[in-house]
């Protein structure tokens, strides 16, 4: 098996054809020439399939499951992928376990599932209650590390317990990306990712995908995509595929810089609740180190209050005040401004980009000095 960098630059490329491009450009087609019986056709209609998706999906499956033979289904966004799994798999009366500290749109999705007659339990990522909630469940949703709190749960342990109950296990792998963590190898049935974040890494495209080994499960999710039409545009799919070639470089750089930034933040008395799974003394580090291959780009911490955090964010030059994470340009935001996460008013989620670490540290330190003056 090749290394991660080699795999990332070549993932999903077609066989070499003289005088053809290495990565063929996006195919724009609403329909395809379709003689005779559609059952034999590879491509029929633009909502059902597209060669640009196929290439990307092959690449994503390769990254999520290099030693296995998983397949991937791409979607218009991470939420389209998450909704596809939950809404296509859960039946009335079934029990679903969701994190209560995961991506904030899990809350309206929970209401939708309950409206359809499912019973939903919510638990904190990495808590003892999470292991207990698996009992009698039909689908267990994990998000690790969780966004934005950066708590971590043991995928292998929870997947084994869930499988003893006959439950499906899905992991939101957005924060880690497949180069940070491979949930399918850790026993999960599905790995679900928002490619909008670190996977594409340039802050210019929305996309999501589901990867799984079970063909029938993949078919069910793909069929859901067809029914609701949550398909990625060919241009978006191509942009994400193109971005995969630098995924390894980006996540390595981000994962190397994040602890340096965190250590600089730690030296500040006004910073509390500093979290990054790569820090040896982080409460999540031990479990993270057992299943993650890179610890990601997000560092979270809390400043004394909302005004302090706002002054800090406004004073930054190299870090944009923006939502999302995982981009080559560092971003930070006060998560409390959205109202959906259970975090203190001064809570800041910082996404470390590809800038030089010393420049970032200097900018953050200067902005903290500005903010501290009031
Ligand atoms: C952003 C995000 C999503 C949603 O993805 P979109 O592409 O914005 O729809 C889901 N899960 C996590 C952990 C995220 O960070």
């Amino acid at each position: 098996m090749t290394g991660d960098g080699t795999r990332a630059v070549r993932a999903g490329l077609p066989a070499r054809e003289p005088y053809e491009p290495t990565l063929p450009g996006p195919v724009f087609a609403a329909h395809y020439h379709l003689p005779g019986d559609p059952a034999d056709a590879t491509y029929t209609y633009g909502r059902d399939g597209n060669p640009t998706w196929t290439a990307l999906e092959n690449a994503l499956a390769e990254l999520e499951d290099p030693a296995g033979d998983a397949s991937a289904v791409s979607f218009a966004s991470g939420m389209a992928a998450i909704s596809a799994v939950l809404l296509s798999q859960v039946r009335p009366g079934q029990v679903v376990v969701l994190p209560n500290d995961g991506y904030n749109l899990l809350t309206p999705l929970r209401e939708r599932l309950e409206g359809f007659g499912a019973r939903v339990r919510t638990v904190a990522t990495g808590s003892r209650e999470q292991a207990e909630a698996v009992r009698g469940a039909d689908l267990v949703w994990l998000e690790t590390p969780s966004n934005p709190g950066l708590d971590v749960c043991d995928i292998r342990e929870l997947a084994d317990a869930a499988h003893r109950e006959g439950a499906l296990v899905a992991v939101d792998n957005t924060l880690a990306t497949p180069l940070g963590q491979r949930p399918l190898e850790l026993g999960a049935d599905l790995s679900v990712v928002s490619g909008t974040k670190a996977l594409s890494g340039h802050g210019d495209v929305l996309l999501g995908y589901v990867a799984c080994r079970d063909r029938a499960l993949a078919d069910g999710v793909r069929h859901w995509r067809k029914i609701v039409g949550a398909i990625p545009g060919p241009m978006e799919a191509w942009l994400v595929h193109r971005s995969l070639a630098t995924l390894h470089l980006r996540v390595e750089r981000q994962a190397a810089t994040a602890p340096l930034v965190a250590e600089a933040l730690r030296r500040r008395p006004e910073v509390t609740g500093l979290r990054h799974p790569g820090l040896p003394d982080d409460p999540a580090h031990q479990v993270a180190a057992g299943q993650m291959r890179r610890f990601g780009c997000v560092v979270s911490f809390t400043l004394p209050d909302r005004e302090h955090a706002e002054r800090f964010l406004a004073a930054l030059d190299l870090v944009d005040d923006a939502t999302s994470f995982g981009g080559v340009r560092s971003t930070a935001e006060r998560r409390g401004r959205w109202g959906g996460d259970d975090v203190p008013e001064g809570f800041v989620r910082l996404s470390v980009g590809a800038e030089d670490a010393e420049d970032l540290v200097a900018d953050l330190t200067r902005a903290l000095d500005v903010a501290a003056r009031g």
Side-chain angles (χ1 to χ4, degrees), residues 1 120 147 157 173 217 221 360 370:
M1 205 160 77
V120 182
N147 170 22
E157 203 174 284
N173 199 28
L217 193 52
V221 169
L360 274 182
V370 172

Side-chain angles (χ1 to χ4, degrees), residues 256-346:
T257 306
L260 301 175
V261 164
E263 289 303 341
L265 291 168
R266 195 204 290 278
R267 289 194 285 273
R268 303 290 302 210
E270 70 273 45
V271 168
T272 55
L274 180 72
R275 297 295 305 268
H276 176 68
L279 296 174
D281 59 348
D282 188 276
H285 182 70
Q286 210 186 337
V287 179
Q291 66 192 18
M292 294 184 77
R293 308 169 69 242
R294 296 175 180 86
F295 297 109
C297 60
V298 182
V299 174
S300 63
F301 56 97
T302 300
L303 290 172
D305 54 40
R306 171 180 174 159
E307 289 70 29
H308 200 121
E310 285 174 345
R311 289 197 299 276
F312 164 69
L313 292 167
L316 289 163
D317 281 332
L318 297 179
V319 181
D320 296 332
D321 187 352
T323 195
S324 198
F325 61 83
V328 287
R329 293 169 207 93
S330 293
T331 55
E333 72 168 334
R334 199 178 64 78
R335 267 318 270 185
R337 67 178 170 179
W338 296 100
D341 301 315
D342 183 19
V343 292
E345 284 292 331

Side-chain angles (χ1 to χ4, degrees), residues 77-80 82 103 143 147 172 174 194 196-197 206-207 325:
S77 68
M79 278 316 296
I82 292 173
Y103 190 62
E143 182 177 311
N147 170 22
D172 185 326
T174 300
S194 166
T196 312
K197 314 290 169 58
L206 280 97
L207 188 126
F325 61 83

Side-chain angles (χ1 to χ4, degrees), residues 22-299:
T22 312
L23 174 65
V27 174
F28 297 103
H31 59 250
Y32 304 86
H33 293 297
L34 181 62
D37 185 355
D40 306 326
T42 319
Y43 299 107
T44 55
Y45 184 57
R47 194 182 346 89
D48 301 345
N50 176 295
T52 311
W53 304 351
T54 307
L56 171 66
E57 290 169 352
N58 289 341
L60 296 169
E62 220 174 302
L63 295 180
E64 287 281 349
D65 195 22
D69 68 339
S71 49
V73 185
S74 55
F75 284 88
S77 68
M79 278 316 296
I82 292 173
S83 303
V85 170
L86 287 169
L87 299 174
S88 72
Q89 298 305 311
V90 177
R91 307 267 166 271
Q94 289 194 327
V95 174
V96 182
V97 181
L98 299 179
N100 63 15
D101 50 1
Y103 190 62
N104 57 24
L105 285 179
L106 286 177
T107 305
L109 206 44
R110 171 198 182 150
E111 286 157 17
R112 193 49 52 114
L113 288 168
E114 287 174 336
F116 292 151
R119 285 180 291 150
V120 182
R121 301 172 183 160
T122 63
V123 282
T125 298
S127 65
R128 201 159 41 82
E129 293 74 43
Q130 194 173 29
E132 287 161 6
V134 162
R135 192 155 304 171
D138 296 288
L139 191 148
V140 176
W141 190 272
L142 309 176
E143 182 177 311
T144 180
S146 60
N147 170 22
L150 301 177
D151 278 309
V152 168
C153 60
D154 190 322
I155 297 174
R156 168 75 63 195
E157 203 174 284
L158 288 166
D160 286 350
H163 288 154
R164 285 195 290 275
E165 304 290 320
L168 271 181
V169 179
V171 176
D172 185 326
N173 199 28
T174 300
L175 202 141
T177 83
L179 291 193
Q181 167 173 284
R182 298 203 289 253
L184 302 180
E185 290 182 355
L186 295 164
D189 301 292
L190 303 121
S191 179
V192 186
V193 170
S194 166
T196 312
K197 314 290 169 58
L199 188 87
S200 63
H202 290 67
D204 52 11
V205 61
L206 280 97
L207 188 126
Y209 71 86
V210 177
C212 64
R213 288 176 173 167
D214 185 305
R215 295 289 142 160
L217 193 52
D219 286 346
V221 169
R222 195 176 294 110
H223 187 62
W224 181 268
R225 177 179 70 182
K226 173 180 168 133
I227 303 170
V228 299
I231 56 170
M235 190 68 199
E236 282 74 8
W238 183 81
L239 276 170
V240 172
H241 198 162
R242 185 186 196 270
S243 303
L244 293 182
T246 56
L247 178 61
H248 178 253
L249 295 173
R250 289 183 282 108
V251 298
E252 284 275 295
R253 169 75 163 212
Q254 290 168 318
T257 306
L260 301 175
V261 164
E263 289 303 341
L265 291 168
R266 195 204 290 278
R267 289 194 285 273
R268 303 290 302 210
E270 70 273 45
V271 168
T272 55
L274 180 72
R275 297 295 305 268
H276 176 68
L279 296 174
D281 59 348
D282 188 276
H285 182 70
Q286 210 186 337
V287 179
Q291 66 192 18
M292 294 184 77
R293 308 169 69 242
R294 296 175 180 86
F295 297 109
C297 60
V298 182
V299 174

